[in-house]
Amino acid sequence: MNPGRFFFAIVLRELQVAFKRWGDLASPLMFFVIVSSLFPLALSPKHEVLRNLGPAVLWIAALLATLLSLNALFRTDIEDGTMEQLVLSPYPLTLAIFAKTVAHWLLNGLPLVVLAPALAVTYYLPAEGVRALCLTLLIGTPTLSLLGAVGAALTAGVRQSGGLLALLVLPLMLPVLMFGARATDLAGSGEQIAGPVYLLAALLLLALSLLPFATAAAVRISLD
Amino acid sequence: MTSLTATELTLWRGPNCLFEDLSFQVAAGSLLLVRGPNGAGKTTLLRVLCGLTRPETGHVEWRGKPIEKNRQAFGAELAYFGHVDGLKADLTVMQNLAFSARLFGQSGDRIPGLLDALSLSQCARLEARYLSAGQKRRTALARVLMSDATVWLLDEPVTNLDAAGRDFVEDRLRAHIAGGGLAVAATHEALRFTSDAPAEITLGDPA
């Protein structure tokens, strides 16, 4: 079998398992929807207030929703022994880890991108702002998944690791949050967003090229 | 040369020395039994042999090469039957085995025959969470039997199995060794071998 089929076999299995566990899949998304739809209700209903705060609130909610979904990323695999099989398979562990991260993004990051425009409406974001929000989430959330995977792998052997995980990865996720929210904000006021978008893309490339290796090494340590 | 060689393995867990300067060789066509009471380090030794746990000193070689430098080549010839079953509780027996078949690069046409042989046919569409301990063990065994691996590392292969299951496992193990494979089995129960008695190492201080 070639590595490509190995990759897709893992992605497929991740999706199969996730769709059997609707609750786990839905709760980070529910969190995203609830938090970002509560703000307009609690804040002043003035359009300009909501328009100014919207990008930041939506991006923070997306970031926290991603954090919520990370805890079980490797823990269940390590507990039920399926991770051992991936480690001992005749393919590089990095590829298996990358496949799991891609599946995590498909299940957690992509739905955020899809839900965001509907929620952006409640903040009276103009069309350019909505477009920028989707674009930055599309480039930014894969970076969040890749960063989160490192943290999830490092803390997989630790009990009650939620706080530790957040403490580890949140500082690393801040640039994504800042560039993402800033670009959405700039687009909403009709300015150029190429700068922050290119920086987000650069962060994604950097994360793609380095982090799967780091995650694989962390998984090995967690299994030892 | 087709053999699994351990050289001067030493491993401590906390204040306990599980094994010190342990050396052995398992050649093709032979079985090594690892004996010892609970907690003696049988599982840990198997994890060291397959490269999941690093020993403090010493190394393990497969075909004369250290396994940590040839993970993928070793992985292609290895079937590890760990003390956890390695099943996704949310997937059916069939889905679990089909995934393993894909990892081995097989189409999965051997699965129905194996399920029959392990009396699991009725459970094929059942999610693994509903299986009994023995049925989970059998499903995990099906994965090992499906592989074309040369090296079998078996951790308590007959625990939780009924008499028929034990006979089946022992038959297949004998056939595997007769066919030029090699196996290391950790067990605290005796395996019945009619022909020559397999080599044994015993872990744990008898005192």
Side-chain angles (χ1 to χ4, degrees), chain A residues 3-222:
Chain A
R5 288 186 56 189
F6 174 71
F7 179 87
F8 285 112
I10 294 176
V11 173
L12 182 73
R13 189 197 59 164
E14 289 296 307
L15 300 184
Q16 275 179 335
V17 172
F19 287 124
K20 288 272 176 84
R21 298 180 148 269
W22 272 109
D24 292 357
L25 186 60
S27 58
L29 299 176
M30 288 293 289
F31 173 86
F32 176 65
V33 172
I34 291 169
V35 168
S36 33
S37 54
L38 280 181
F39 267 85
L41 299 176
L43 287 167
S44 140
K46 287 183 191 133
H47 288 196
E48 57 272 30
V49 172
L50 289 174
R51 200 174 297 160
N52 285 339
L53 289 174
V57 171
L58 287 165
W59 252 99
I60 291 170
L63 181 80
L64 294 178
T66 308
L67 266 186
L68 274 181
S69 64
L70 285 171
N71 224 334
L73 184 54
F74 298 115
R75 177 176 311 244
T76 47
D77 279 16
I78 289 177
E79 279 171 0
D80 66 21
T82 47
M83 187 56 87
E84 288 172 355
Q85 291 163 34
L86 295 182
V87 171
L88 297 176
S89 76
Y91 298 94
L93 180 60
T94 307
L95 187 63
I97 295 299
F98 183 56
K100 278 189 67 75
T101 315
V102 168
H104 176 264
W105 180 75
L106 286 175
L107 293 163
N108 294 283
L110 192 58
L112 295 179
V113 181
V114 175
L115 287 170
L119 293 160
V121 173
T122 58
Y123 292 89
Y124 301 101
L125 286 194
E128 300 80 52
V130 177
R131 219 174 301 140
L133 179 68
C134 289
L135 178 66
T136 52
L137 281 175
L138 193 64
I139 315 174
T141 46
T143 316
L144 298 184
S145 287
L146 288 158
L147 279 169
V150 182
L154 282 172
T155 57
V158 185
R159 271 196 274 171
Q160 311 279 326
S161 63
L164 184 60
L165 175 63
L167 209 61
L168 273 175
V169 299
L170 213 45
L172 300 171
M173 289 176 168
L174 289 183
V176 180
L177 172 73
M178 282 148 62
F179 293 130
R182 188 82 188 113
T184 313
D185 202 21
L186 285 174
S189 42
E191 289 180 55
Q192 284 292 319
I193 58 162
V197 168
Y198 284 147
L199 278 166
L200 275 180
L203 283 176
L204 174 59
L205 287 179
L206 188 68
L208 271 176
S209 55
L210 295 178
L211 296 181
F213 294 97
T215 311
V219 165
R220 270 190 213 286
I221 294 169
S222 285

Side-chain angles (χ1 to χ4, degrees), chain B residues 52-67:
Chain B
L52 285 172
T53 300
R54 272 171 179 266
E56 263 140 62
T57 64
H59 53 272
V60 179
E61 289 178 355
W62 166 243
R63 294 186 191 270
K65 292 177 188 157
I67 55 169

